[in-house]
Structure formats: structure tokens, C-alpha cells
């Protein structure tokens, strides 16, 4: 019985950890686009800009497409 409770708690914790990710700073957004600022160590911290942009574009039932960096170094995703 104790094993089942411990296993249930472990599974709940694992699922919760998988749903969390660090987001970059949104510097500009609209229904058609999102621009996200991140630092050089973003990958080491778990920043997932693709997932962040996908969630943003999902609100309009569109797909996030990465267009590169703007002149300020922000990541540019367009909702298409």
C-alpha cells in the first residue's frame, strides 16, 4: 500500500515537472507574430521559445513558424 502511494506521488510529480518550462521575455506580440528575447544561457535554463510561440499561435488555430532574429536579436515567430 505504501509503495502504491509513493508511486502515485512520484508519477504526479514527474508529470508536473514535464509540463513546466521557462519562457523567454515577450517583447512584442500580436495575432500574427510574437518576438521573444532570450539570453545566451537560455538553452541551459530550459527556455523553450518554440513551445512558447506554438502556445501563442494556437489561440488563433495557427502554426508558429520561426523566421529568425530581428535586428535586436529577438527570436521572431509568425503565426501562419
Amino acid at each position: 500500500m505504501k509503495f502504491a502511494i509513493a508511486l502515485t506521488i512520484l508519477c504526479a510529480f514527474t508529470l508536473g515537472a514535464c509540463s513546466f518550462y521557462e519562457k523567454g521575455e515577450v517583447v512584442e506580440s500580436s495575432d500574427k507574430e510574437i518576438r521573444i528575447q532570450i539570453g545566451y544561457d537560455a538553452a541551459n535554463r530550459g527556455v523553450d521559445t518554440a513551445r512558447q510561440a506554438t502556445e501563442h499561435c494556437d489561440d488563433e488555430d495557427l502554426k508558429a513558424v520561426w523566421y529568425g532574429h530581428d535586428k535586436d536579436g529577438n527570436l521572431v515567430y509568425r503565426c501562419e
Side-chain angles (χ1 to χ4, degrees):
M1 183 68 174
K2 288 182 181 181
F3 177 74
I5 293 171
L7 185 60
T8 302
I9 292 171
L10 178 63
C11 288
F13 177 75
T14 302
L15 289 173
C18 290
S19 66
F20 173 77
Y21 69 98
E22 185 176 344
K23 297 179 179 183
E25 179 184 346
V26 176
V27 293
E28 186 179 325
S29 71
S30 68
D31 292 344
K32 305 254 186 226
E33 183 177 273
I34 185 169
R35 292 175 186 252
I36 304 169
Q37 180 183 43
I38 58 171
Y40 289 107
D41 64 337
N44 293 331
R45 291 192 332 263
V47 175
D48 190 349
T49 58
R51 181 174 172 185
Q52 184 176 357
T54 297
E55 290 175 357
H56 172 79
C57 294
D58 277 347
D59 292 342
E60 302 296 324
D61 293 327
L62 298 170
K63 302 286 183 194
V65 178
W66 182 58
Y67 270 77
H69 295 85
D70 65 9
K71 64 180 177 62
D72 297 321
N74 302 315
L75 297 171
V76 179
Y77 290 89
R78 295 201 177 130
C79 302
E80 299 181 348

